[in-house]
Amino acid sequence: MRGLYTLGIRAYALGVRTAAWFGNAKAKLWVEGRKQPLPPTDDDDPWVWFHAASLGEFEQGRPLIEALKRQYPRLKVSLTFFSPSGYEIRKDYPLADEVLYLPIDTMRNARRWVGRHRFVAAFFIKYEFWFNYMKALAERGIPLYYISLILKPNQYFFKWYGGWFRRQLQHVTHFFVQDETTQRLLKDFDNVTLCGDTRFDRVAAIAQTARRFPEIEAFIGTRKCIIAGSTWPPDERLLLPYLGRLPEDYCMIIAPHDISERHVRQIREALQGVASDKVYIVDTIGMLSQLYQYARFVYIGGGFGVNIHNIQEPVTFGCPVVFGPKYKSFREAVDLVGLGGAFTVSSQSQLDDIFDRLIHDESYCRRASEICKDYLRKQLGATDTILREITSTFSA
């Protein structure tokens, strides 16, 4: 079975190379990044390996990286990504001693990789299952931890054909899981700790150290502000018509997912007839997570496409959140919809109704905000829980 798995990995890599040859920019980055020679490995310092699929998973691992570096300054960090969208943004992450693309998951690559440094532990984030790397780590006796793990009943581990895949989980030293569903699915393992999502610790830290933005503050003035973050065209087709309904003491900030000149121009053209002091378009990256400090409530984009974007950041500031119908892959979104701190819309009329109520019903908006704050408080502490469990690994 391992041979078939590895054959599938090679076939996937061939498919990406083919896409790159035909001009796919992301595939080209994926291929070219893996051609870089690995850095030398001539030191005897202790190393930890963190692997993330992309940027979101890195942010989940980041609180633990920072905590380990504070507690064990001698540790060196090897950080790998599967996707260019993570690597290209975080390739200069200062707490990592090397940031690399993960070589494709063959036994040869895996054994070479785990032998590069004196690794004392490896951390795979959320749902990165690379079975040859898992085996190679076990062969060398290197502890492997899964952090912020989340599993679904319909995954291949739990299908009739999933026996071989489930057996590979025996290579894991400990599972730190996000939710009770994942804990139940791993009921046959005694090395499972339910501790929540480490990314809540990260976004809470961002909120506590959020910087001010004088230009944004000058735009908002004394008004209340709605922030629409990571929006796509289907989101904008609902949001922009609502601008005509905004009260005088309200304004809106739109931070589109696509900040290209072409798309920003399209939004501006669609805003013709709307007072220029009513809406502000953010066309730079790196601000959004801290801009939510200025919001009364927030709209998060992506829910009319594959899935909504991150809602943890606005929730950290106590902002009620509105989004489209594709949200059920995110536990916090499902939880908050059920609790009344988040709201899902599928049409213009539904968006108009919930925006009107959040604007005009002060007690309703305040209650939704308190629900978000309370939810956040209950999610904090995953990083500390993990640190307590793994202390013996780093005692040397």
Side-chain angles (χ1 to χ4, degrees):
M1 183 64 187
R2 187 172 300 277
L4 288 175
Y5 165 76
T6 304
L7 183 63
I9 293 293
R10 291 186 181 279
Y12 176 85
L14 178 61
V16 177
R17 291 188 185 99
T18 302
W21 190 81
F22 279 102
N24 183 289
K26 189 172 182 179
K28 187 174 182 180
L29 286 171
W30 192 96
V31 171
E32 293 299 320
R34 284 168 171 80
K35 291 180 180 178
Q36 298 175 14
L38 296 179
T41 58
D42 57 355
D43 65 72
D44 194 43
D45 292 323
W47 285 72
V48 287
W49 172 25
F50 279 82
H51 175 65
S54 190
L55 184 60
E57 290 74 30
F58 163 76
E59 293 295 336
Q60 288 175 299
R62 186 170 179 168
L64 186 57
I65 295 173
E66 294 173 353
L68 284 173
K69 290 291 282 187
R70 284 194 301 270
Q71 194 161 335
Y72 306 100
R74 284 188 59 231
L75 279 179
K76 290 187 174 181
V77 174
S78 176
L79 173 62
T80 58
F81 289 97
F82 178 78
S83 167
S85 56
Y87 173 83
E88 294 299 327
I89 294 176
R90 289 291 177 250
K91 59 187 176 184
D92 297 318
Y93 177 54
L95 289 189
D97 295 274
E98 61 180 23
V99 183
L100 301 164
Y101 281 99
L102 182 71
I104 65 169
D105 187 22
T106 65
M107 278 308 309
R108 180 183 178 186
N109 285 345
R111 285 172 174 150
R112 181 187 178 200
W113 177 267
V114 301
R116 296 178 60 246
H117 298 303
R118 184 166 74 85
F119 284 117
V120 296
F123 298 88
F124 286 6
I125 303 168
K126 195 173 182 179
Y127 43 43
E128 281 292 274
F129 295 100
W130 299 111
F131 301 115
N132 289 325
Y133 280 102
M134 293 165 69
K135 178 177 173 59
L137 288 165
E139 288 175 346
R140 282 188 167 261
I142 300 169
L144 169 61
Y145 301 99
Y146 270 84
I147 63 174
S148 294
L149 176 63
I150 191 160
L151 297 172
K152 302 294 183 184
N154 62 352
Q155 283 180 270
Y156 52 84
F157 292 110
F158 313 109
K159 301 291 189 180
W160 62 267
Y161 54 81
W164 182 84
F165 298 103
R166 286 194 298 275
R167 287 193 295 275
Q168 306 314 300
L169 299 180
Q170 295 171 3
H171 295 313
V172 179
T173 304
H174 205 96
F175 301 93
F176 296 98
V177 305
Q178 286 195 40
D179 61 9
E180 292 179 352
T181 297
T182 304
Q183 187 179 39
R184 286 194 299 270
L185 290 170
L186 294 173
K187 64 183 184 300
D188 295 332
F189 295 84
D190 59 6
N191 54 343
V192 180
T193 298
L194 173 62
C195 64
D197 186 350
T198 49
R199 185 161 184 178
F200 278 105
D201 296 329
R202 170 63 184 160
V203 295
I206 291 174
Q208 291 170 2
T209 59
R211 66 186 180 94
R212 314 303 297 185
F213 295 89
E215 184 178 349
I216 297 295
E217 293 174 355
F219 165 74
I220 295 173
T222 60
R223 297 177 296 182
K224 300 180 182 71
C225 184
I226 303 167
I227 293 182
S230 299
T231 60
W232 292 77
D235 304 300
E236 291 148 13
R237 283 194 286 272
L238 300 186
L239 289 164
L240 299 185
Y242 191 83
L243 289 167
R245 300 167 63 104
L246 274 184
E248 288 300 315
D249 61 341
Y250 265 81
C251 60
M252 184 182 292
I253 294 174
I254 300 175
H257 179 78
D258 177 4
I259 59 170
S260 66
E261 182 180 346
R262 176 176 176 273
H263 184 61
V264 171
R265 184 172 62 251
Q266 289 173 338
I267 296 175
R268 295 192 189 283
E269 290 172 352
L271 288 172
Q272 290 183 3
V274 176
S276 60
D277 65 345
K278 279 287 188 184
V279 61
Y280 187 104
I281 301 173
V282 175
D283 58 1
T284 58
I285 62 173
M287 297 172 57
L288 184 57
S289 63
Q290 298 178 78
L291 286 184
Y292 292 127
Q293 65 183 295
Y294 298 114
R296 178 176 171 87
F297 65 90
V298 168
Y299 180 95
I300 291 293
F304 290 92
V306 176
N307 223 321
I308 61 170
H309 292 274
N310 173 37
I311 72 165
Q312 294 173 335
E313 291 166 347
V315 168
T316 303
F317 289 102
C319 300
V321 188
V322 183
F323 40 74
K326 301 286 184 67
Y327 68 91
K328 294 187 177 178
S329 294
F330 291 93
R331 178 178 63 91
E332 60 271 19
V334 174
D335 290 348
L336 283 168
V337 168
L339 292 169
F343 311 90
T344 181
V345 298
S346 298
S347 65
Q348 184 73 61
S349 62
Q350 289 178 349
L351 181 138
D352 291 351
D353 288 345
I354 190 59
F355 272 34
D356 281 350
R357 188 162 189 190
L358 289 169
I359 288 172
H360 299 293
D361 189 332
E362 180 68 30
S363 63
Y364 185 77
C365 188
R366 189 184 308 114
R367 179 177 175 275
S369 176
E370 289 303 319
I371 288 170
C372 290
K373 292 176 184 177
D374 184 61
Y375 183 82
L376 172 72
R377 284 191 292 268
K378 292 177 179 178
Q379 304 305 313
L380 296 177
T383 303
D384 289 340
T385 299
I386 295 170
L387 278 174
R388 286 194 297 270
E389 289 285 342
I390 67 174
T391 296
S392 60
T393 300
F394 304 97
S395 57

